[in-house]
Amino acid sequence: MSLRRVHLPPERIGEGRAALTDEARHYLRDVLRLAPGAAVELFDGRGGAWEATVLDGFEALALGARRAAPGAGAPVWLLVALAKGEKVDLVVQKATELGAARIAPFAAERSVVRLEPEKGEARAARWRRIAGEAARQCGRADVPEVRAPAPLEAALAEVPAGFGAFVFHPGGAPLSEAAPSPAGGYAAVVGPEGGLTDAERAACARAGARATSLGPRVLRAETAAIVAVALLQARFGDLR
């Protein structure tokens, strides 16, 4: 039976001991109903993991030796347009499970949702919690970086030079024709419900993103984002 897993940030982890946050304490004691002395696995969100024991009082964990969890394959970044409802929540959860290294929501011209900076930061905090929970569930020792919403060109500007970049929309070339990136990283750009505008596709082209198809069917925006990550991981990443 696999150990129950709990995530703590690196600054809470010391030599032989890790201080629990209120959220982690609630999860271990009240959700899982573990008793002091229970064995768990701790991960720090940056690739480190420890076998650990819950100490009396649920204030801390006693740690065994640190082990480096297996790293992902080529890093995959997802640039996804803001969408209404809880669609981005779903995308963050599934992209984390599929191994995405960064998720960067952006405000597209046709996005129904518009977020002021303060609301964008609050929404990003929610997405980071979702990513942490998904990482715990799927066995990752790292948690993807989730950015606050930004304009498309700002999100594109952060993609490292040399990454293989793809903008997914109907009429693009098959991903099977793409060669591996010399830099070993990949970025997927997926637009909103109404698609990217001509100006936005031109901005992607200037940033080096290749127009790429997800196949003959019209997919929902959230489905397209999840499929894009899965395809990149299947071709270049750790789902090969």
Side-chain angles (χ1 to χ4, degrees), residues 96-216:
T96 299
E97 292 177 13
L98 288 165
R102 179 190 279 205
I103 303 165
F106 66 88
E109 291 182 32
R110 291 174 177 159
S111 288
V112 175
V113 174
R114 300 290 174 183
L115 296 175
E116 297 299 324
E118 184 175 340
K119 289 186 176 180
E121 289 291 346
R123 194 68 62 87
R126 170 184 171 85
W127 293 328
R128 290 170 190 136
R129 288 193 297 272
I130 291 171
E133 291 165 2
R136 184 188 70 221
Q137 179 274 324
C138 74
R140 288 180 67 166
D142 63 321
V143 178
E145 181 183 7
V146 182
R147 306 287 286 174
L152 174 59
E153 292 200 7
L156 288 169
E158 293 191 345
V159 176
F163 261 40
F166 305 92
V167 53
F168 289 92
H169 67 87
L175 183 62
S176 60
E177 296 179 4
S181 163
Y186 300 88
V189 182
V190 180
E193 291 90 338
L196 296 170
T197 64
D198 290 344
E200 288 171 329
R201 288 198 296 271
C204 290
R206 289 194 300 273
R210 172 180 174 174
T212 308
S213 171
L214 289 174

